[in-house]
Amino acid sequence: HTHTHKDTDTHTHIRTHTHIKTQTNRARHADTHRHKKPRQTQKHKHKRTRQTYTRRVQARQTTAHRQKSPQYTRKQARPGKARLMTVCIPLLAHEDDACHCAVSLSSLQSPLDSFPRHLVIQMLSWLPPASVARTRVVCLRWQRICQLKPFWIGFEFSPSASKFPASTLTQILNALRDSGRRPHAFLESWRSGMDWAPINDRVLSLFPSSLRHLHLYNDQVTDAGIKTLVHAGCRLQTLSLELCQHVTANSIIYVAEKCKDSFKNLTVRWCPLVAEDGICTALRFMSAIESVRLTHVTHATFEALQDIESLKTVIMECSQATTVQFVTSVCKWRKLTSLTLDACPELSNTAIESVLRDNKNLKHLSLRRNVWVSSFTLALISKYCARLQSLDLRQCRAVEAGGLLDLVSESTLSELTELELYGTCIQPMSPMAQALTDRNPQVKLLFRW
């Protein structure tokens, strides 16, 4: 152990000595190299200064001589631009050359530039939104045309209105968002469909703040997405939620609080997380609402609606409210033009009579899948609904053919044009259907499912 320790100390001493020796050699080499440079004397410095002064004086004399020359121009001091001017000036020296120059420049323009503005607008109006978004990069003129308001105002992204696949929705919104004037700010409506891929909160955040009508069908949108859209400045007028599995009543309440002055239409169908208490709370903020469509509601919803006098369209499906509760709640409805009571087994003809007696301007009435609808109900309709235009009696098994004949032949129903009879005692292409048509040719019999 002692021997190893001595060897270690010796090795350390050798390394330290070698390092000091190396640094000494480097310093000595640097001093030697520096001393090899010739020292400049005062004589050499004076000679160099005199040469520099001589060159500057000669350059000034040459410049002054050139400026005094009548042929001197500023372009001669820059050879590159001088050659450019010698090419351009002769072309404009004579009239013929000027005409030739104008023709050559005009030939570089696109033939589409000579098209009238209204023709370009008409051609582009036939394109789908995805193509319109891409044609903005063709030229500056097309970009300005594609940003016109008529291309986007009132446009609905629905399967019936547009023919592009759902996978391009994000691409379209991103392309429109990148525009300088934001032409997508004129988009007002979005309607999901069964053929569309479900959208999520990320896609919903791309919609503009000018969106007024939002229809969601079986989408993966949550409360956070709807709140973000409204918080960004979107003042919704219509909110439709159908088969939305992740939306609760909190988003509806938030929309009702922020858009209570402009909100008009509310639809909630088959949303398992939306509680009825939340809908009642939201309806108390909607003082100007005009249309309501709800499913599986009770008397609590009708009590929340009884103070709203601006209602024009009421659609209730699978309601559990009784006749007494219904009559008590709808006594203030005076502006109804459309009423739908589908599959409401607890109601009766007394409830219908109370509504029809107070709303004689009713134009559309639907009583589908109700077992209590009979010929007496049809007599009440012919008595109070003088302006009725369409009547839906699908799957009303208790309706008799005689009551339908009396309804069609009544002179009070002069505006009746559509009558839905699928699932009743009247079959299509039957003698009774022909008799109804002969009795009143104005009424169109429909047998849709």
Side-chain angles (χ1 to χ4, degrees):
H1 177 73
T2 306
H3 182 70
T4 306
H5 180 70
K6 290 181 179 180
D7 293 345
T8 305
D9 294 343
T10 305
H11 181 67
T12 305
H13 177 71
I14 293 173
R15 291 181 59 188
T16 305
H17 179 70
T18 306
H19 179 67
I20 296 174
K21 186 176 181 181
T22 304
Q23 290 183 349
T24 305
N25 293 336
R26 289 179 179 175
R28 186 180 301 172
H29 179 72
D31 294 341
T32 305
H33 182 72
R34 183 169 62 249
H35 289 302
K36 286 184 179 180
K37 293 183 179 180
R39 295 183 178 180
Q40 294 183 358
T41 60
Q42 190 69 19
K43 181 179 179 180
H44 291 158
K45 292 182 179 179
H46 179 70
K47 183 178 180 180
R48 180 172 298 179
T49 304
R50 186 174 54 188
Q51 293 177 354
T52 305
Y53 176 76
T54 305
R55 294 194 190 96
R56 290 179 180 177
V57 171
Q58 292 178 356
R60 292 173 184 174
Q61 293 177 356
T62 305
T63 305
H65 178 71
R66 290 179 179 178
Q67 291 179 354
K68 292 180 181 180
S69 176
Q71 298 179 354
Y72 174 81
T73 58
R74 188 177 296 273
K75 301 296 185 290
Q76 293 177 354
R78 299 178 182 180
K81 290 192 175 182
R83 288 194 297 269
L84 180 63
M85 293 300 294
T86 54
V87 174
C88 295
I89 290 176
L91 288 176
L92 303 177
H94 303 284
E95 295 181 358
D96 298 339
D97 295 333
C99 296
H100 176 71
C101 180
V103 172
S104 62
L105 291 177
S106 62
S107 62
L108 298 177
Q109 298 179 356
S110 173
L112 294 176
D113 294 340
S114 59
F115 270 62
R117 183 185 179 88
H118 66 279
L119 290 181
V120 177
I121 294 176
Q122 186 175 3
M123 288 188 298
L124 296 180
S125 63
W126 291 89
L127 298 178
S131 300
V132 174
R134 288 193 294 267
T135 53
R136 294 183 301 106
V137 300
V138 173
C139 60
L140 183 60
R141 185 189 183 201
W142 282 30
Q143 181 182 5
R144 293 173 179 173
I145 292 177
C146 292
Q147 291 175 350
L148 294 177
K149 191 173 183 178
F151 278 104
W152 308 101
I153 187 170
F155 183 81
E156 290 189 359
F157 284 103
S158 59
S160 60
S162 53
K163 303 301 181 182
F164 55 88
S167 59
T168 61
L169 175 61
T170 305
Q171 177 185 0
I172 293 171
L173 294 176
N174 287 329
L176 296 178
R177 184 178 288 273
D178 294 339
S179 176
R181 294 180 59 187
R182 299 284 179 91
H184 73 299
F186 304 123
L187 297 179
E188 296 181 352
S189 177
W190 161 261
R191 183 183 299 275
S192 300
M194 299 180 63
D195 300 331
W196 289 80
I199 64 174
N200 50 22
D201 295 342
R202 184 181 61 83
V203 179
L204 191 63
S205 63
L206 299 176
F207 284 93
S209 60
S210 64
L211 190 68
R212 296 294 178 265
H213 309 282
L214 179 62
H215 304 266
L216 301 177
Y217 180 88
N218 195 20
D219 292 320
Q220 300 176 357
V221 177
T222 62
D223 294 341
I226 298 178
K227 291 181 179 180
T228 303
L229 184 65
V230 176
H231 182 71
C234 181
R235 293 295 175 260
L236 291 177
Q237 298 179 4
T238 302
L239 178 62
S240 177
L241 304 175
E242 299 186 25
L243 294 175
C244 295
Q245 308 294 330
H246 308 286
V247 178
T248 64
N250 295 330
S251 60
I252 303 177
I253 297 175
Y254 186 82
V255 172
E257 292 178 352
K258 298 296 182 180
C259 311
K260 57 183 179 181
D261 297 333
S262 61
F263 199 82
K264 301 295 182 182
N265 309 307
L266 176 64
T267 300
V268 181
R269 300 183 64 205
W270 315 108
C271 298
L273 298 182
V274 178
E276 186 177 4
D277 297 339
I279 296 177
C280 296
T281 304
L283 290 175
R284 293 186 178 94
F285 293 98
M286 302 175 183
S287 59
I289 190 171
E290 298 179 356
S291 175
V292 176
R293 184 175 185 179
L294 304 173
T295 58
H296 293 90
V297 296
T298 60
H299 67 281
T301 303
F302 287 100
E303 291 178 358
L305 291 173
Q306 67 179 356
D307 296 332
I308 303 177
E309 300 179 359
S310 59
L311 281 175
K312 297 181 179 180
T313 302
V314 176
I315 302 175
M316 297 294 174
E317 300 175 348
C318 304
S319 174
Q320 302 298 324
T322 61
T323 300
V324 178
Q325 297 168 350
F326 182 79
V327 172
T328 306
S329 302
V330 303
C331 59
K332 294 185 180 180
W333 295 351
R334 295 292 187 272
K335 299 180 181 180
L336 277 183
T337 58
S338 178
L339 177 63
T340 300
L341 299 173
D342 294 347
C344 300
E346 302 297 332
L347 298 183
S348 63
N349 292 322
T350 306
I352 295 299
E353 184 178 5
S354 63
V355 175
L356 300 182
R357 184 175 58 250
D358 297 333
N359 296 274
K360 297 185 179 181
N361 295 326
L362 200 64
K363 296 182 179 180
H364 307 281
L365 179 62
S366 176
L367 302 173
R368 292 186 300 172
R369 297 179 294 174
N370 289 314
V371 295
W372 46 266
V373 177
S374 60
S375 300
F376 180 73
T377 309
L378 301 182
L380 294 176
I381 293 173
S382 61
K383 179 179 179 181
Y384 295 108
C385 300
R387 298 184 179 181
L388 192 65
Q389 298 178 359
S390 64
L391 178 60
D392 192 351
L393 299 175
R394 284 178 284 185
Q395 298 181 4
C396 294
R397 308 292 181 180
V399 175
E400 299 178 356
L404 291 174
L405 287 173
D406 296 338
L407 178 69
V408 172
S409 59
E410 285 289 342
S411 59
T412 57
L413 299 179
S414 58
E415 299 181 8
L416 185 63
T417 57
E418 293 184 1
L419 185 59
E420 296 274 0
L421 297 176
Y422 175 81
T424 61
C425 60
I426 307 298
Q427 300 297 326
M429 305 300 295
S430 63
M432 186 56 65
Q434 186 64 33
L436 292 175
T437 305
D438 296 339
R439 186 70 62 89
N440 191 349
Q442 180 183 353
V443 179
K444 182 179 181 181
L445 304 181
L446 302 176
F447 295 91
R448 296 177 296 187
W449 179 74

